[in-house]
Amino acid sequence: MSLEKPPAILQPLISAEDLALRVSELGKEISEYYQDKDLILMGVLKGSFIFMADLSRSIRVNHACEFIRVSSYHKKQSSGTVTLDFEMTQSIEGKHVLLVEDIVDTGQTLLFLKKHLMGKNPASLRICTLLYKQEMNPHIQRELHWVGFEIPKLFVVGYGMDYEGLYRHLPFIGTL
Ligand code: IMP
Ligand code: MG
C-alpha cells in the first residue's frame, strides 16, 4: 500500500469530541434496552473496529464481542455484490445479537448480513450504525434501531472507515 497519491483535501465532518459524546449516549440507550439479556455485539470488519471498541466500552451490561467480515466496496463505489470474507467464531443461537456497523449506504451489506445472521437463530437481532447516508431507501432506514449520525451523501473516512485501506486511524470523520 502506498501513500504516494493522497486524495485531495480532507474536510472535517464530525469531530472526535462529538463522536465520543454520541457513542456514550448510544451506549447508555443500548445498556437500558439489553438489561438482563444475553448480548453479543457483532462488529462488521473492517470499518466498525474503532466504533465497536468505543461502543463496547460504553455499554454497561455484560456482553460478548464477535466479528464478521464482508466486502462489497471498490474504491468509492459499492460493487453491488456482498461477499462473506470471514465468519464469526461462536454460536449466536438463542442470543441477543446487536449488529454494529460503521455506515449504511445502499443497505446491500445490511440486508445480506441480516439474512445471514437470522439463519443462525438468534433470540433477537437489532442494528446499530454509527452513520447513515441521507436519502437512503426508507425501507432500509426502518431496519436501523440505533443511529449515531445522519450525514449527507458523501464519501467519508476516519474513525475506522477507509479509502483504499487508508485513513482508518483518523480520530475524527472527514470527507475526501
Ligand atoms: P452498503 O452496502 O452500500 O450499505 O455499504 C456498506 C459498507 O460500505 C459500509 O459498511 C462501509 O464499510 C462501506 N462504505 C459505505 N459508504 C462508505 C463511505 O462513505 N466511506 C467508507 N466506507 C463506506
Ligand atoms: Mg462496514
Side-chain angles (χ1 to χ4, degrees):
M1 194 178 300
S2 98
L3 277 166
E4 72 202 16
K5 249 205 274 165
I9 302 153
L10 209 87
Q11 301 279 354
L13 190 68
I14 306 171
S15 69
E17 292 73 22
D18 288 347
L19 285 166
L21 211 68
R22 187 69 188 118
V23 173
S24 77
E25 284 172 2
L26 290 171
K28 221 168 151 190
E29 287 176 29
I30 291 167
S31 306
E32 276 161 25
Y33 183 81
Y34 286 106
Q35 262 175 42
D36 308 317
K37 294 210 173 93
D38 214 349
L39 173 63
I40 299 186
L41 295 192
M42 183 71 62
V44 186
L45 293 172
K46 297 178 187 172
S48 77
F49 81 110
I50 293 181
F51 176 44
M52 175 86 169
D54 286 345
L55 186 67
S56 170
R57 286 177 291 179
S58 75
I59 293 176
R60 297 283 169 243
V61 295
N62 277 331
H63 59 276
C65 293
E66 260 300 318
F67 293 94
I68 192 164
R69 179 167 172 191
V70 292
S71 54
S72 67
Y73 261 59
H74 177 66
K75 296 209 170 171
K76 289 185 180 179
Q77 284 293 313
S78 171
S79 71
T81 338
V82 185
T83 332
L84 182 70
D85 292 338
F86 59 78
E87 180 61 296
M88 65 196 80
T89 57
Q90 63 179 290
S91 165
I92 59 169
E93 192 166 345
K95 307 272 174 73
H96 295 273
V97 176
L98 179 62
L99 190 68
V100 179
E101 260 285 27
D102 51 354
I103 181 162
V104 177
D105 181 8
T106 63
Q108 295 268 2
T109 307
L110 185 72
L111 293 179
F112 173 92
L113 284 169
K114 223 187 136 182
K115 195 168 163 212
H116 181 71
L117 296 175
M118 286 311 289
K120 296 176 184 291
N121 299 315
S124 72
L125 176 61
R126 287 197 144 214
I127 292 135
C128 175
T129 182
L130 179 65
L131 306 178
Y132 93 85
K133 289 190 189 175
Q134 275 161 9
E135 301 154 47
M136 193 214 290
N137 181 343
H139 172 71
I140 301 291
Q141 200 178 334
R142 278 195 298 274
E143 305 275 334
L144 308 175
H145 302 92
W146 288 281
V147 174
F149 300 89
E150 183 179 314
I151 62 163
K153 250 195 160 317
L154 297 167
F155 192 83
V156 295
V157 295
Y159 199 67
M161 287 167 285
D162 74 308
Y163 171 70
E164 294 275 277
L166 298 178
Y167 309 109
R168 292 193 198 275
H169 67 289
L170 297 173
F172 60 93
I173 290 174
T175 60
L176 291 177

